Amino acid sequence: MSPSGGRRMKRVSLADVARAAGVGKATASRALSGRDEVGEATRARIAEIAETMGYQPHRGAQALRTGRFGVLAISVPLDDDAAGDLLRSAASAAAARGYQLLVVAAEATGPSTSALRSLSVDGILVVGTDIGGLGVPTVTMSTADGDIPTRTAEAVALLLEHVETSAAAGR
């Protein structure tokens, strides 16, 4: 049951924000995405209205426009003793760069390549088995040695470098 007594609360749309600000949808969109075509005072006013209304950009719409999802996947065998530390570190490193983290449980024999290929993500961190051909930037790491939180943060940073390089190249 939802907090509203069983009824779903309506998501605040960009059109709602534009209407409240007395501007068109295109102007509201430009203001909220930080584009130069909107004056600073207008941008600040629209951002304040959006914040007050609880507006959150629709990730699906953003992905259609930009080709990026804002999501990284991590494929990790959950029976790995380091899984908890690894997941906490990866989630923290991803969030620090504005990304969500999707956890994909891997079998002891390795992740399902077809399952990983089907994900709508910007990149994949694979723990354990080295696999390729996933169609998105991929980094593989091991939990065999070293400081797991530090190594995980480094692996996420490397993955995001690959994601940004790939996006700049138009892939």
Side-chain angles (χ1 to χ4, degrees):
M1 183 182 294
S2 69
S4 61
R7 288 176 282 145
R8 288 184 65 166
M9 293 180 65
K10 181 179 179 273
R11 178 184 181 106
V12 176
S13 69
L14 183 61
D16 297 330
V17 173
R19 195 170 19 265
V23 299
K25 265 179 65 173
T27 300
S29 176
R30 284 187 209 105
L32 294 173
S33 63
R35 305 234 328 250
D36 292 337
E37 297 97 352
V38 179
E40 192 55 45
T42 302
R43 180 187 337 277
R45 185 172 58 82
I46 293 170
E48 183 179 335
I49 290 168
E51 174 78 23
T52 301
M53 294 177 74
Y55 172 74
Q56 291 292 312
H58 191 284
R59 282 195 180 259
Q62 285 181 327
L64 287 173
R65 184 174 42 80
T66 65
R68 297 183 74 180
F69 299 96
V71 178
L72 301 176
I74 181 169
S75 174
V76 59
L78 296 181
D79 61 351
D80 188 313
D81 291 339
D85 286 341
L86 200 144
L87 292 173
R88 276 188 294 280
S89 298
S92 177
R97 298 278 293 271
Y99 283 80
Q100 302 279 330
L101 187 69
L102 173 68
V103 178
V104 179
E107 300 297 323
T109 56
S112 163
T113 305
S114 62
L116 292 177
R117 260 193 224 110
S118 71
L119 299 174
S120 296
V121 297
D122 296 311
I124 302 173
L125 176 60
V126 178
V127 178
T129 308
D130 188 10
I131 57 175
L134 297 177
V136 296
T138 305
V139 169
T140 302
M141 72 173 281
S142 168
T143 60
D145 53 40
D147 174 27
I148 295 299
T150 300
R151 290 187 55 243
T152 303
E154 290 169 352
V156 170
L158 178 60
L159 177 58
L160 287 171
E161 283 180 35
H162 290 312
V163 166
E164 290 161 8
T165 301
S166 178
R171 287 177 260 155

